[in-house]
Each structure stands twice: as structure tokens, then as C-alpha cells.
Amino acid sequence: MLNLFFPEKTTVIVGLEIGTAKVAAVVGEVTDAGGVNVIGIGQCPSRGVRKGEVVNADLAAEDVRNAIVEAEKSADVEIASVYLGVTGGHLTSLNTHGVFTAASDDHEISQPDVNEVLANAKVFSRPSENHVLHAIRQHFTLNGQAGITDPIGMLGGKLELDMHVVHGVTTRLQNPVRVVKGLNLEVEEFVFSGLASSLALLDNEQKQMGVLVVDLGAGTTEYVVYADGVIKHTGILAVGGDHVTNDLSHGLRMAPARAGLLKREHGAATIEGAAGQTLTLTNENGFPDRRVNLEHLRRIMVARLDETFQLIDEDIGEQGFHEQLRAGVCLCGGGARIRDIEKLAEEVFGLPATLGRANAVGGLRSATDDPELATAVGLVKYGAIRQKSQRRVGLVGKLKNLAGSLGLF
Ligand SMILES: Nc1ncnc2c1ncn2[C@@H]1O[C@H](COP(=O)(O)OP(=O)(O)O)[C@@H](O)[C@H]1O
Ligand SMILES: [Mg+2]
């Protein structure tokens, strides 16, 4: 019988990205199968953020409020809390290693042993003013046997754990949190934006095969490497589409607003087909006022984008991840709208590159199709995973399923 008085409780989860170009709020419902259905989106141009960090809290608060109000109207819900994306050049990542040694090799690994190896892996040197944003388990190794996902109940004397850690300057992480709290909204958790974007786009097979996700934003470019099903590396460059616009503004000697428009309308990540072409620009009265060489425009863009990809390529190469990326490169962020950007990525990384689409997400079309919504959509997915694992913890009473545990991402 249909119960009209106690309808089945659906969980509404909100992802919020306070980006350099825009603030985006995405409202999602978690389906029974664990998928995410996007039921509302709110967006607002962002005025209080530079290079991914809040520089004007009042303006940022106004923009967040606008995005949230729009999302509430669009989803017809009241928003009380959000999962918040964070980024910035102060974030650092590293892989750490923890060891636990028992008295003998026929020791049965228990939960306290796992807790000890976890605690041990979390001991690494970092500036005292830094806060650990993520400590994500990768693999356990038991007496030299690598790739163990859950060692509890197994026999062994030496348990090791590899972990991926992201940390950043506490005060700088707190700035966007304070903006949100100032609007009487709870922050459920804050999550590295690049990690959120990767959650939106990737399926398990890609994570297993090895993949690089690059989120090309306005003031920052975030990237994440997965292989063997776990996060191997994360990084961030304080460079993005704003720099492309600036380069064009200098190179073509025109106002940044005009350069930004030209970038969007005529830009590309290749000079192919541009030779000899000229654009005639008109002034505000519609009269022709100057000519721009299209090849010159695109050369400027290619130089900056190529450099950005090179920096990422060098970083992942140094860490030895290049060979592990069998599923290639997946692009998102507003920069993924640049014509032929995937071709440039293929050239620089020497790997197949695709424009990412949100995976296992239904509902509003733009949630899957708009590359700049990847972070906010991914935050909803993160929230869904978190709440599911917390329910499980509640049921079973085990702490080992908390987020950050193996296989969660
Ligand atoms: N069609 C396009 N061609 C080139 N750049 C674009 C296009 N659409 C958006 N962008 C650029 O993408 C950036 C915004 O991306 P977004 O992911 O929203 O940034 P953020 O997350 O930092 O707010 C801006 O620099 C914008 O100029
Ligand atoms: Mg972004």
C-alpha cells in the first residue's frame, strides 16, 4: 500500500564550487541504485575569487547566495548544507607509507593493527599551519604481498599501507568555508575540486586502467591521476583560461573583455586551417575598427595551453605515472570547450584524450554535458558516497568504511 504520510526519504545533496569564473551549485538526489539524479542547478559569475581562492569575501558571498537561490528555485528544495570544492596554489599532495610490525609472522591482522598502520602513514612532515584535506588509502602490503584491499583476518607480521595525502594552508582553506557559513549554510565537508571533478567523470574501468583527469578552469588547472583503481597523484597549477585571455589581451593589444570574447568565438588549440585568415572586428556602433590575424590569435592560445599541458606532463612523468595511463586523458572545466583542445592534449601527453562527460548521472542535461559543472556534480557524487558509507558505519558499527577508505574514489 502506498504510504502517503511517510513518503520514502530521498537524500538531497548539494555540491558547491566557488570557482574563479563562476559559482556553481548542483542539487542531486541519490537513486536507490546509488546513482545521482541532478534536480537543480544554480550558477552565477564569480567576482570575489582569484586563482581559485577567495580574495573578496563580500562579493563571493553575494555570488554564492545568488547561485544557491537559483539552485533552490530550480530544484524546488531548501538548501541547508553543501559539499564544498576547494582549490588553490597552496595545496600540496604526496604519497605516504605506513608500517606496522607484529611480534611474529603468524599474527592475525585486526582492526587496531590497521588503525596503527593508518596512523603511521599519516605521520609525515608538513608545515604546522597546514591542514590535511584528504588521506586516501591506496593499497595494503602484507609480508611483501602487495595490492591487498582489506587485510583484516589475514596472517602476517608486517603490514604496510600506501596513502595519498592532500594538504593545504588552514587559513586559506577556511576562507571559502567562512563565506558559506556566513550565509547560514552548513559545510558538510570540503573536497579538493580536482578530485570532485574526477569523481563526476570516471567509471571504475577507467580508474583501474589508469587515467589522467585535467580540469581547465579560469584561474587554476587541477589534475588527478588514477591507476589500479586508486588515486595515485593530484596536482594543481595556478594557471587557467584567464591567462589565455591575458596573453591575448597583451599579444593583440586589446581589452581583456574583448580578448575573452575573441577567445571563445574564434579560439582553438591548434593553428591548423587558420593560415592567411583575418578577422574583422567591429566597434560598439557596428563599424569595422580593426583586423586580427587568426593564426596569430591561435598561436598565442596554443603557446599557453601547450605550456600548461607540458607542466602537467613533466610532473606526472617525474612521478613515473605516464606508462600507467592506459585509459588516456579526460578533460573538463570551461577550457574543455576550446576547439580541438583534445587534439593538443593528445599531442603533448602522447595519449588518447577525450572530453569528459559526467558518468552515472541523470536528470538535468547540462549536468552531464557542461564541462564546467564537473566539480559541482562530482561533489554531489562525493556526498552520496560519504553518506552511504556513514549509514553503513551506523549499521555495522565499524569505522573502517569511512570515506578515504580503499576503493571509495
Ligand atoms: N568556448 C570557450 N573557449 C575558450 N575558453 C572558454 C570557453 N568557454 C569557457 N572558457 C573558459 O573557461 C574558463 C572557465 O572555466 P570554469 O571551469 O568555469 O572555471 P572555474 O572553475 O575556475 O570557475 C574561463 O577562463 C573561460 O574563458
Ligand atoms: Mg573549477
Side-chain angles (χ1 to χ4, degrees):
M1 201 182 78
L2 203 64
N3 188 336
L4 295 173
F5 298 101
F6 299 102
E8 197 191 338
K9 191 172 167 279
T10 45
T11 322
V12 170
I13 295 173
V14 182
L16 176 70
E17 181 192 21
I18 310 177
T20 306
K22 51 90 198 43
V23 178
V26 166
V27 186
E29 263 177 3
V30 184
T31 64
D32 289 345
V36 161
N37 218 20
V38 172
I39 57 168
I41 297 171
Q43 282 192 84
C44 178
S46 178
R47 297 165 301 164
V49 177
R50 292 281 173 281
K51 298 189 183 211
E53 293 185 66
V54 174
V55 291
N56 183 325
D58 290 342
L59 284 179
E62 238 178 79
D63 299 339
V64 170
R65 181 188 284 117
N66 288 335
I68 291 283
V69 167
E70 191 183 313
E72 284 182 329
K73 280 190 193 144
S74 134
D76 196 17
V77 295
E78 224 170 275
I79 295 173
S81 70
V82 300
Y83 284 84
L84 176 66
V86 288
T87 187
H90 62 100
L91 295 180
T92 310
S93 79
L94 75 160
N95 290 325
T96 64
H97 187 77
V99 184
F100 161 81
T101 318
S104 70
D105 270 352
D106 60 0
H107 171 82
E108 184 181 323
I109 300 295
S110 65
Q111 185 67 53
D113 306 337
V114 170
N115 293 347
E116 195 169 323
V117 80
L118 263 170
N120 188 249
K122 282 182 188 163
V123 179
F124 61 93
S125 70
R126 65 170 192 275
S128 59
E129 71 269 22
N130 274 28
H131 170 82
V132 174
L133 194 58
H134 299 291
I136 304 160
R137 294 188 209 177
Q138 294 169 323
H139 289 297
F140 290 101
T141 304
L142 187 56
N143 280 22
Q145 183 190 348
I148 292 174
T149 53
D150 186 356
I152 291 178
M154 295 177 73
L155 289 184
K158 187 178 181 194
L159 180 66
E160 292 163 88
L161 170 65
D162 290 306
M163 196 152 74
H164 185 73
V165 177
V166 183
H167 61 94
V169 179
T170 310
T171 47
R172 287 165 77 172
L173 286 168
Q174 281 302 321
N175 287 333
V177 177
R178 285 165 57 89
V179 166
V180 175
K181 286 191 171 165
L183 296 167
N184 283 327
L185 291 166
E186 275 305 312
V187 174
E188 298 273 358
E189 262 181 76
F190 47 107
V191 180
F192 171 50
S193 298
L195 192 155
S197 300
S198 73
L199 283 184
L201 306 186
L202 300 180
D203 60 27
N204 287 338
E205 192 179 59
Q206 288 168 304
K207 293 178 191 171
Q208 205 62 46
M209 285 174 69
V211 64
L212 165 70
V213 173
V214 182
D215 183 329
L216 293 154
T220 53
T221 298
E222 292 94 18
Y223 54 100
V224 178
V225 174
Y226 285 80
D228 306 323
V230 294
I231 291 184
K232 296 280 180 174
H233 184 56
T234 51
I236 178 206
L237 300 172
V239 179
D242 282 354
H243 298 77
V244 177
T245 302
N246 260 333
D247 293 350
L248 288 173
S249 163
H250 281 110
L252 304 175
R253 290 188 197 81
M254 62 174 63
R258 195 175 206 186
L261 270 178
L262 263 192
K263 174 180 81 168
R264 270 192 282 270
E265 280 176 23
H266 301 285
T270 169
I271 55 158
E272 237 170 77
Q277 288 200 48
T278 310
L279 304 169
T280 304
L281 310 185
T282 51
N283 63 19
E284 59 266 35
N285 303 317
F287 296 112
D289 75 341
R290 64 172 288 192
R291 290 153 70 82
V292 169
N293 179 316
L294 186 64
E295 185 179 342
H296 183 41
L297 180 152
R298 292 192 176 167
R299 270 193 199 285
I300 296 172
M301 286 183 71
V302 171
R304 176 63 80 166
L305 295 164
D306 184 273
E307 186 196 21
T308 308
F309 284 154
Q310 294 282 359
L311 288 169
I312 299 173
D313 193 54
E314 274 164 33
D315 183 37
I316 61 171
E318 262 168 35
Q319 316 257 352
F321 295 126
H322 214 276
E323 289 65 41
Q324 301 184 35
L325 303 175
R326 287 177 294 149
V329 185
C330 205
L331 303 170
C332 65
R337 291 188 186 272
I338 300 170
R339 197 176 308 155
D340 287 334
I341 189 73
E342 70 275 30
K343 288 190 187 151
L344 182 67
E346 291 194 344
E347 228 174 270
V348 176
F349 293 107
L351 295 163
T354 50
L355 303 181
R357 296 186 83 242
N359 168 60
V361 171
L364 299 179
R365 257 263 305 286
S366 52
T368 40
D369 291 358
D370 289 3
E372 49 276 278
L373 289 181
T375 295
V377 168
L379 287 164
V380 175
K381 271 190 161 182
Y382 179 95
I385 298 165
R386 270 301 249 165
Q387 297 195 357
K388 189 171 155 205
S389 74
Q390 274 163 356
R391 275 197 298 277
R392 218 160 47 199
V393 170
L395 280 176
V396 191
K398 272 187 175 177
L399 276 167
K400 72 171 193 171
N401 286 322
L402 275 176
S405 72
L406 201 68
L408 179 63
F409 305 119

